[in-house]
């Protein structure tokens, strides 16, 4: 974990021209670097997003600088994927679907890594580093170098600060878990705030099915009292939604799937 954080941190310290080689507005690029302006003109976050699984297919597109990046991120990602698959089995079992439910689809599923670098907060600026959102996949496993994550408590509609002991991984359920479980498990709305003390690195590993594989409500969880609540969709449908909806992000992708 430390080596992954260090590799990420070293990447963001590279000269801007080197990082810009990965810049693109095309969200289907296998590797993409960018900065986001939550409000105002000062970037509140720089990010590097790339596909991870299978490594043999995607690693060749990853940054070659810093020289440790591929090996250290590759190792970290593979371990995180193993954790995600195990957790997924436990959750499927908990839902009464059996731990091998759609086993092949999860096994060959897509893993995406979103690496974030938040600057430390200057005096008097907005403190939001990443605006409130839910993640797209079934599960997100997040590692962060210091505190900053906040989760929305649905019962009180207030933000809760998430503790960040060293070497702790956060697990969020994402939109696809809400779909698959027909709403029994709710996606987690979260945000990141900037730290007055130090810059912050975080890495979110997002797990879903491959590009064109549809995720739908588990038929076992549908009956007369509990009709199907969500339409099926693929990761590709999600990407299409995000690109077509950039100007008027009124409705989240999950909301667009509700029946
Ligand atoms: C994300 C995310 C939170 C954080 O990348 O999707 O929610 O703490 N990150 O950086
Ligand atoms: Ni997130």
């Amino acid at each position: 974990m430390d080596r992954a954080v260090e590799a990420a941190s070293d990447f963001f310290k590279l000269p801007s021209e080197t990082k810009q080689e990965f810049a693109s507005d095309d969200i289907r690029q296998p590797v993409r670097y960018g900065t986001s302006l939550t409000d105002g003109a000062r970037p509140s976050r720089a990010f590097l997003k790339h596909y991870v699984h299978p490594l043999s297919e995607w690693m060749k597109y990853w940054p070659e600088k810093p020289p440790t990046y591929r090996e250290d991120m590759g190792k970290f990602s593979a371990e995180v994927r193993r954790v995600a698959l195990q957790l997924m089995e436990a959750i499927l079992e908990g839902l009464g679907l059996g731990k091998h439910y759609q086993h092949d689809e999860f096994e060959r599923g897509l893993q995406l890594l979103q690496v974030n670098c938040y600057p430390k907060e200057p005096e008097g600026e907005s403190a939001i580093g990443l605006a409130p959102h839910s993640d797209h996949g079934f599960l997100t496993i997040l590692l962060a170098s210091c505190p900053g994550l906040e989760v929305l408590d649905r019962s009180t509609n207030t933000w809760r600060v998430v503790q960040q002991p060293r070497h702790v991984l956060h697990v969020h359920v994402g939109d696809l878990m809400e779909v698959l479980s027909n709403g029994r498990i709710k996606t987690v709305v979260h945000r990141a705030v900037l730290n007055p003390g130090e810059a912050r690195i975080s890495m979110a590993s997002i797990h879903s099915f491959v590009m064109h594989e549809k995720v739908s409500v588990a038929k076992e969880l549908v009956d007369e009292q509990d009709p199907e609540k969500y339409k099926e969709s693929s990761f590709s449908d999600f990407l299409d939604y995000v690109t077509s909806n950039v100007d008027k992000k009124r409705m989240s992708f999950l909301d667009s799937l509700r029946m």
Side-chain angles (χ1 to χ4, degrees), residues 95-162:
L95 283 169
L97 298 170
K99 68 177 188 177
H100 297 303
Y101 184 81
Q102 294 201 296
H103 184 262
D104 294 347
E105 287 86 342
F106 283 109
E107 223 12 87
R108 66 170 173 261
L110 195 135
Q111 179 185 8
L112 217 122
L113 197 67
Q114 169 154 320
V115 189
N116 303 300
C117 178
Y118 302 91
K120 71 174 174 209
E121 184 196 10
E123 283 307 310
E125 298 275 337
S126 152
I128 301 296
L130 180 57
H133 67 282
S134 60
D135 294 341
H136 170 67
F138 292 101
L139 284 179
T140 298
I141 305 208
L142 182 83
L143 172 66
S145 65
C146 61
L149 178 66
E150 297 187 352
V151 167
L152 187 67
D153 180 341
R154 285 173 186 269
S155 59
T156 56
N157 209 33
T158 52
W159 291 102
R160 293 233 180 146
V161 174
V162 178

Side-chain angles (χ1 to χ4, degrees), residues 26-226:
D26 174 8
I27 62 167
R28 287 178 183 267
Q29 286 297 320
V31 180
R32 213 155 61 84
Y33 168 79
T35 53
S36 66
L37 312 166
T38 307
D39 45 28
R42 203 179 49 81
S44 59
R45 175 177 69 113
F47 63 83
L48 182 69
K49 298 186 194 194
H50 55 68
Y51 292 108
V52 170
H53 181 79
L55 284 170
S56 55
E57 189 174 339
W58 301 116
M59 204 190 250
K60 57 177 175 279
Y61 300 107
W62 294 9
E64 285 181 288
K65 283 183 207 158
T68 52
Y69 191 90
R70 292 185 179 185
E71 189 183 336
D72 291 345
M73 284 303 209
K75 244 183 178 157
F76 171 74
S77 307
E79 287 299 314
V80 162
R81 179 164 182 275
R82 200 172 53 77
V83 173
L85 290 175
Q86 276 181 22
L87 286 171
M88 201 61 219
E89 286 190 355
I91 293 170
L92 292 170
E93 206 163 6
L95 283 169
L97 298 170
K99 68 177 188 177
H100 297 303
Y101 184 81
Q102 294 201 296
H103 184 262
D104 294 347
E105 287 86 342
F106 283 109
E107 223 12 87
R108 66 170 173 261
L110 195 135
Q111 179 185 8
L112 217 122
L113 197 67
Q114 169 154 320
V115 189
N116 303 300
C117 178
Y118 302 91
K120 71 174 174 209
E121 184 196 10
E123 283 307 310
E125 298 275 337
S126 152
I128 301 296
L130 180 57
H133 67 282
S134 60
D135 294 341
H136 170 67
F138 292 101
L139 284 179
T140 298
I141 305 208
L142 182 83
L143 172 66
S145 65
C146 61
L149 178 66
E150 297 187 352
V151 167
L152 187 67
D153 180 341
R154 285 173 186 269
S155 59
T156 56
N157 209 33
T158 52
W159 291 102
R160 293 233 180 146
V161 174
V162 178
Q163 301 303 312
Q164 180 60 65
R166 266 171 75 77
H167 302 150
V168 161
L169 296 171
H170 300 287
V171 179
H172 297 166
V173 295
D175 295 354
L176 295 182
M177 192 75 92
E178 183 163 333
V179 171
L180 180 92
S181 71
N182 205 22
R184 288 181 201 196
I185 302 177
K186 296 279 191 283
T187 194
V188 174
V189 176
H190 54 284
R191 67 179 186 182
V193 298
L194 298 181
N195 240 302
E198 52 188 321
R200 176 167 175 271
I201 297 286
S202 74
M203 283 174 252
S205 174
I206 295 175
H207 302 262
S208 66
F209 286 170
V210 286
M211 194 55 88
H212 294 287
E213 192 112 56
K214 299 274 187 190
V215 175
S216 55
V217 170
K219 298 293 168 282
E220 293 80 348
L221 302 179
V222 174
D223 58 26
E224 262 167 39
Q225 277 105 57
D226 246 331

